[in-house]
Amino acid sequence: MTSSLVQSVDWLTIAPPTLTAVVALAVLVADLFLPPERKQLLGWTAIGGLTAALVLLLPLRAGDRSTFCLTARAQAAGHLDACSYTADRFTLVIQLLVLAGALLTALLSLDATRERLPAGEFWFLLLSSAAGAALLPAARDLATLVVALEVASLPAFALVGLKRGDRMSGEAALKFFLSSVTATAVTLLGVSFVYAATGTLHLTEIAQRLDGVPGQLQTLAQAGVALTLVGFAFKTAAVPFHFWVPDTYVGAPLPVAAYLSVVGKAVGFTGLILVTVVAFPSYAEVWGPALAVLAALTMTAGNVAALRQSPTRARSAVRLLAWSSVAQAGYLLVPIAAAAYSDGNQIGATVAYALMYAAVNLGAFAVVALVARARPENRIADYRGLYAASPAAALALAFFLLNLAGLPPGIIGLFAKVTVFSTAVDAGLGWLAVVMGINVVIALSYYLRWTALLFRTPEGATERTSQRASAPVTLAITLTAAAGVVLSAYPQFVLGFAATALF
C-alpha cells in the first residue's frame, strides 16, 4: 500500500532539461572562482552542456516514455492513467528545436560575453531559460506547464536588460517584463478557473471532464478556457499582444534577440498547442475561429510594418527581422486554428514550419551579428554591396531571406508555406488561405528588396566584414546554412511531421 503512494521517476526521460539546469548551476558557481581572463571557459562549458543535452535525446527517439505519473491509488479512485511529464514525438521535436536554438545562440554570444556582457550571469540565465523551454513541451499538467513557462521567461527578462548602462536595453527589458507579467497573470487566472470547474490539472483529464461540467460551472469553465488562451496569445506575440516585440529585439543584445525570435516563440506556441489540442478539444468551436482571426491579423500587421521599415533608420535590420517574426507567428497560428476543424493532425504543419523557421531565422541573425561588428548602427542600407566585401556572408544571408520568403534556391521555405496553406484549405478556411497568400506576396517585397541590396554596387570604399568575423559566429552561420541546405535537399525530414500525428 505504501509503494502505491510513491511516483516513479524515469531519470533518462527527464535528462535533457535536467542536465541543462545542472550545467546552469555549475556555471553560476564556477563564475565565483574563475579569474576574469578565464571567464571564457564558462561559455564553452555552456556549449558542452547543451550539446550533451541534445545527445541525450537520442535514447528517447522512440517517443514512448513518461514519468511522474498518477499513483495506483489515484487511478483506483477514478483518475485516468495520466502523467505530468511525457516524452512523445512532439516533445522530442520541440526539445531538439529549443536546445539546438540555445546552442546556436551560445555560439553567437561568445564574443559578446568576452567584450560587453557579464559572462557568469549571461550563461546562467541562458541555460536556465533553455531548461525551462525544454521542460515545457513535455508538460502534461497545467501546473508543470505554467512553471516551465515562467522558468523559460523570467531569465529572458534579465537577458534583454543585461547591457548595463544602455537605456534602450533597460527600456526593452521593462516592456518585455510588463507584457509577460500581464500574460502570466491572465494565464494563472484562467488555469485557476479551469481547475475549479474540472477538479484536475492533468491535460488529458481536463479534456474528459470539460464535457461533463455541471451547468452552474459552465460559465466558469468557459472563462477559464478563454483567459488561458489569451495568456498564451501574449507569449506568441499574436496581434494585439505584439507591441513589445520590435523594441525588445532592438534593445536586447543581438544573440538574445535571435534567441527570443526562435526559442521564445517556440515556448509560446508549444504551450498554446498543448492547451488547445490536448486540454480543450471540446471547446474547438470557440478557440478555432478565434485563432484563425488572430492568425490573419498577426501576419498582416507584421508584414505591413516590416514593409514600412526605412533602410536608413538605425537598427532597421533588427527591427525588420522583429516585424518579420511577428508575421511568421501568424503563419504558425494557421495550422493550430485548422486543428479545431479536424482531428488535430494539422499540428504537425506548425512543427514543420517552426523547424524551417528556426534554422533560417537564426542564420539571418547570425549574419546580422557579423555585420554589426563593423557597422554598429545595423541599418539595412549598411548591407549594400555586402557581396563585394564578404561574398560568403552575403550569399548566406540571401539564402536565409529567400527561405523566409518561400522562394528557391532553398525549397524548404516554399514547401513549409505550401504545407501551412494546405492545412487552411483542407480545414475549410478558404478565407484564411487567401489572406495568407496576400501576405506572402507582401513579404516578398521587403525580403527581395533586402536581398537585392546585398549585390548592388557599394557606395565608396567598403570595409571587408569577413576580416572581423570570429570563429564562433562563422561556425553559427555555417551550421544554419548547412541545416538549410540539408533540409532543402531532403524536405521529407521536416515535412514528414506534417503528415503524421504527434500526440
Side-chain angles (χ1 to χ4, degrees), residues 288-300 330-339 341 420-421 423-425 427-440:
L291 291 182
V293 172
L294 283 181
L297 293 175
T298 302
M299 66 178 73
T300 302
Y331 303 144
L332 287 164
L333 281 170
V334 172
I336 306 177
Y341 300 89
V420 170
F421 185 88
T423 62
V425 174
L429 296 172
W431 67 270
L432 184 56
V434 172
V435 172
M436 181 180 174
I438 294 172
N439 274 277
V440 169

Side-chain angles (χ1 to χ4, degrees), residues 391-405:
L395 290 173
L397 181 56
F399 176 73
F400 298 137
L401 293 176
L402 291 175
N403 266 295
L404 288 171

Side-chain angles (χ1 to χ4, degrees), residues 1-366:
M1 182 64 67
T2 303
S3 61
S4 66
L5 299 176
V6 180
Q7 290 185 337
S8 62
V9 179
D10 186 341
W11 291 102
L12 180 60
T13 302
I14 64 173
T18 301
L19 177 62
T20 307
V22 169
V23 175
L25 293 174
V27 166
L28 184 64
V29 173
D31 181 53
L32 299 174
F33 302 98
L34 284 176
E37 63 272 11
R38 304 194 67 184
K39 296 285 188 184
Q40 201 67 8
L41 290 175
L42 300 176
W44 290 109
T45 301
I47 290 173
L50 290 168
T51 303
L54 282 168
V55 172
L56 287 174
L57 294 177
L58 293 176
L60 307 175
R61 61 186 180 275
D64 57 355
R65 302 174 76 111
S66 298
T67 189
F68 298 113
C69 300
L70 290 179
T71 62
R73 177 177 292 184
Q75 294 175 26
H79 293 273
L80 299 176
D81 185 12
C83 299
S84 293
Y85 188 106
T86 299
D88 54 16
R89 293 188 67 206
F90 175 79
T91 298
L92 298 180
V93 173
I94 299 299
Q95 286 183 338
L96 171 65
L97 188 158
V98 165
L99 294 172
L103 177 60
L104 289 168
T105 301
L107 289 173
L108 292 177
S109 306
L110 285 173
D111 291 337
T113 53
R114 185 189 299 120
E115 299 167 0
R116 298 177 300 278
L117 302 179
E121 294 95 321
F122 181 89
W123 295 116
F124 169 72
L125 292 169
L126 178 64
L127 289 169
S128 298
S129 179
L135 170 62
L136 191 140
R140 291 300 183 271
D141 68 65
L142 290 176
T144 307
L145 190 63
V146 171
V147 169
L149 186 65
E150 291 312 298
V151 172
S153 300
L154 289 174
F157 305 152
L159 285 171
V160 171
L162 211 55
K163 291 196 292 186
R164 296 169 181 171
D166 189 319
R167 182 187 61 82
M168 291 186 63
S169 179
E171 180 181 340
L174 180 61
K175 289 181 178 179
F176 186 27
F177 171 76
L178 292 176
S179 63
S180 293
V181 166
T182 302
T184 299
V186 173
T187 303
L188 287 174
L189 184 60
V191 167
S192 66
F193 285 176
V194 171
Y195 177 69
T198 61
T200 184
L201 290 173
H202 285 90
L203 303 183
T204 52
E205 288 198 325
I206 290 172
Q208 294 289 331
R209 297 189 185 186
L210 278 177
D211 287 330
V213 171
Q216 63 269 30
L217 295 178
Q218 280 288 347
T219 302
L220 187 67
Q222 292 168 359
V225 170
L227 290 173
T228 304
L229 294 178
V230 168
F232 280 102
F234 267 101
K235 298 294 185 180
T236 59
V239 171
F241 315 117
H242 67 294
F243 56 88
W244 57 272
V245 173
D247 289 340
T248 298
Y249 283 27
V250 169
L254 266 175
V256 176
Y259 178 82
L260 292 176
S261 73
V262 172
V263 178
K265 196 176 298 298
V267 166
F269 277 97
T270 300
L272 188 62
I273 289 170
L274 289 175
V275 296
T276 53
V277 176
V278 180
F280 304 150
S282 57
Y283 281 76
E285 72 279 0
V286 176
W287 55 259
L291 291 182
V293 172
L294 283 181
L297 293 175
T298 302
M299 66 178 73
T300 302
N303 280 320
V304 170
L307 187 63
R308 296 179 59 193
Q309 295 305 306
S310 171
T312 57
R313 182 181 181 181
R315 298 178 178 85
S316 55
V318 177
R319 194 172 289 275
L320 187 146
L321 287 176
W323 283 114
S324 167
S325 75
V326 173
Q328 300 290 340
Y331 303 144
L332 287 164
L333 281 170
V334 172
I336 306 177
Y341 300 89
S342 62
D343 56 4
N345 284 345
Q346 284 86 348
I347 294 304
T350 289
V351 175
Y353 196 94
L355 288 171
M356 179 282 300
Y357 169 76
V360 298
N361 203 64
L362 279 170
F365 267 103

